[in-house]
Amino acid sequence: MATITCYGAAQEVTGSCHLLHTDNLSILFDCGLHQGGRVRRHLEADPFKFNPAAIDAVVLSHAHLDHSGRLPALVHEGFNGPIYCTHATAQLLPVMLHDAFSLYQSDLKRLNRKHQRQGKPLISERYSYEDIQTVLTLCKPKAFKEPFTINKHINVTLFDAGHILGSAITKATFTERGASKTLVYSGDLGKHDTLLMNDPQVLEHADVVMMEGTYGDRDHRDLTDTLSQFKSILNEAYQRKGNALLPAFAVGRTQELLLYLGKLQHSGELDDWTIFLDSPMAIEVTRIYDQWLTTLDCEGMESLSDGDATLLKNFISSLHLTIEPEHSMAINNIRNRALIIAGSGMCTGGRITHHIRHRIWDKRNTIIFVGYQAQGTPGRALVDGVKSIRLFGEDLQVNASVETLGGFSAHAGQQELVNWLANFKPKPRVLLVHGEADALDVLSEQIWQQLDICSEIPFPGQMLAF
């Protein structure tokens, strides 16, 4: 009998990792980092609860680190099978993994210096640069809607999930003991009617649907209202002669933000802001997005450009790209009306933490969160209204305004999730993952009320047979 075991993103939002075991194969859907603290904490503390060498293949839904970040550790511990993903995900993956490794090494060096001073044993790396290179050689890119077979036992097709560039819904069909079974794993589903991404594709048949529920307890604000709120927040910050800080994920959120800002500028509603994209990683990722613009929705972009503009070229006249560290530090000398987009999106590291350190104490400034903030992150603490926050060993007063724009989320809201699920006929068995427990409980109740489906919420490590 086939089983699915949820080793991550079970009653939590990050660390996606789900193992499908059949009579013939063991396939891992995603292999992601837990986020909510420094990357190295989880790499040190969380050994795999299965044998990586026994996994036949990985199907990767998309490149975000909470879905891909542990692939090098998986390889280091014996995995040597194919990693299936879309072509765009294969392009984004080296950027994500190399950046994460750099942060991991820095954290590990810092921790080992502390261990040396305390006479504790040093901690060795859980994986190496060579393991990252192996991950990249194992990638087998596939196009959307292009069926492929894994070891002649399971047929898989990837569909556009509309979350970020290359994000995929996975449909896996196999025969076991004479019966055909189909599992659909949603990955992260995007919102409808965004300016950049396509709507998530609709599927209609599955025996089991494993669906995310990040925002299972709420619907997002209408995009028109969100843009109006964004404009109002920026205008207030501008009138206060302050600066605006936008913590943003390098993949997905940054590119959407650039499109929204371009829309405001071209309608004369952006005021006289100087915009800084202060993230080498986000700049590199946006160049990859620019290669794929013709496959994306890009609603309204043609009317805002001369036809050959990209997100980084001739689209926002006041956009400055800062790559070198000294250029990033120079932004701190700008006293007002600098709009700074930088990572990380949850303020767990990266250049945004330096900007927050220099600006958070000043009531003229504004911090604008445009994405989900996981529990335990500085971003979540700020959204929850803390009066002081500790960064770089220093307690900082939170005097800056803190705003949240939920309408810019790259995840489907509650009703969009229910509507996507409603397309499956007959009613499938439903497993809810990738969401905090309370949000999944609310989503489960809505699914019962609207679709008459009793969904299940697996706990970490739970094995479910089907």
Side-chain angles (χ1 to χ4, degrees), residues 405 411 432:
L405 290 173
H411 288 267
L432 299 180

Side-chain angles (χ1 to χ4, degrees), residues 98-324:
H98 286 141
D99 182 77
F101 186 56
S102 176
L103 293 174
Y104 169 54
Q105 284 185 312
S106 296
D107 282 344
L108 197 56
K109 287 178 182 177
R110 189 179 302 111
L111 184 63
N112 276 334
R113 284 195 298 269
K114 182 177 179 181
H115 277 213
Q116 276 186 314
R117 292 192 297 268
Q118 297 174 345
K120 295 180 179 179
L122 300 185
I123 299 170
S124 58
E125 292 181 349
R126 285 287 306 274
Y127 69 93
S128 66
Y129 175 82
E130 288 71 24
D131 293 320
I132 295 176
Q133 296 309 109
T134 300
V135 167
L136 301 179
T137 61
L138 293 175
C139 284
K140 309 295 180 187
K142 298 294 181 180
F144 287 131
K145 299 184 179 180
E146 175 191 323
F148 58 94
T149 303
I150 301 177
N151 291 358
K152 300 181 180 180
H153 295 295
I154 185 165
N155 295 309
V156 177
T157 308
L158 304 178
F159 299 87
D160 193 344
H163 172 60
I164 65 167
L165 180 65
S167 60
I169 302 162
T170 301
K171 179 180 180 181
T173 300
F174 57 95
T175 299
E176 190 174 54
R177 302 177 189 181
S180 178
K181 299 180 179 180
T182 297
L183 169 71
V184 169
Y185 169 47
S186 73
D188 286 357
L189 293 173
K191 284 178 58 185
H192 280 71
D193 301 323
T194 65
L195 291 181
L196 183 60
M197 300 306 300
N198 298 312
D199 289 347
Q201 290 184 318
V202 170
L203 282 71
E204 297 179 345
H205 171 73
D207 298 294
V208 176
V209 174
M210 187 163 56
M211 186 179 76
E212 71 119 319
T214 310
Y215 286 97
D217 58 347
R218 75 198 86 162
D219 288 316
H220 298 304
R221 194 167 187 165
D222 178 82
L223 180 57
T224 301
D225 292 341
T226 300
L227 280 170
S228 178
Q229 182 189 5
F230 191 26
K231 180 178 66 175
S232 176
I233 291 170
L234 290 178
N235 182 256
E236 289 174 9
Y238 186 87
Q239 296 303 321
R240 289 196 304 269
K241 296 183 179 180
N243 300 278
L245 311 182
L246 281 81
F249 299 104
V251 182
R253 194 56 42 80
T254 292
Q255 294 72 37
E256 291 271 3
L257 273 174
L258 291 175
L259 201 52
Y260 296 135
L261 289 169
K263 193 175 180 69
L264 289 175
Q265 179 180 278
H266 283 262
S267 61
E269 298 174 298
L270 193 56
D271 296 320
D272 192 24
W273 287 97
T274 301
I275 301 170
F276 294 91
L277 180 51
D278 187 26
S279 168
M281 182 181 173
I283 293 167
E284 186 175 358
V285 166
T286 307
R287 290 192 174 111
I288 295 173
Y289 264 74
D290 281 342
Q291 297 173 30
W292 291 87
L293 282 182
T294 57
T295 71
L296 302 178
D297 189 9
C298 292
E299 178 186 325
M301 187 167 174
E302 290 183 4
S303 64
L304 302 178
S305 69
D306 58 8
D308 64 351
T310 64
L311 293 171
L312 290 181
K313 175 188 172 187
N314 302 327
F315 188 57
I316 303 176
S317 60
S318 58
L319 178 64
H320 298 266
L321 309 180
T322 53
I323 297 176
E324 300 301 327

Side-chain angles (χ1 to χ4, degrees), residues 48-61:
F48 289 108
K49 296 178 176 62
F50 52 86
N51 179 9
I55 303 299
D56 295 294
V58 173
V59 180
L60 180 61
S61 66

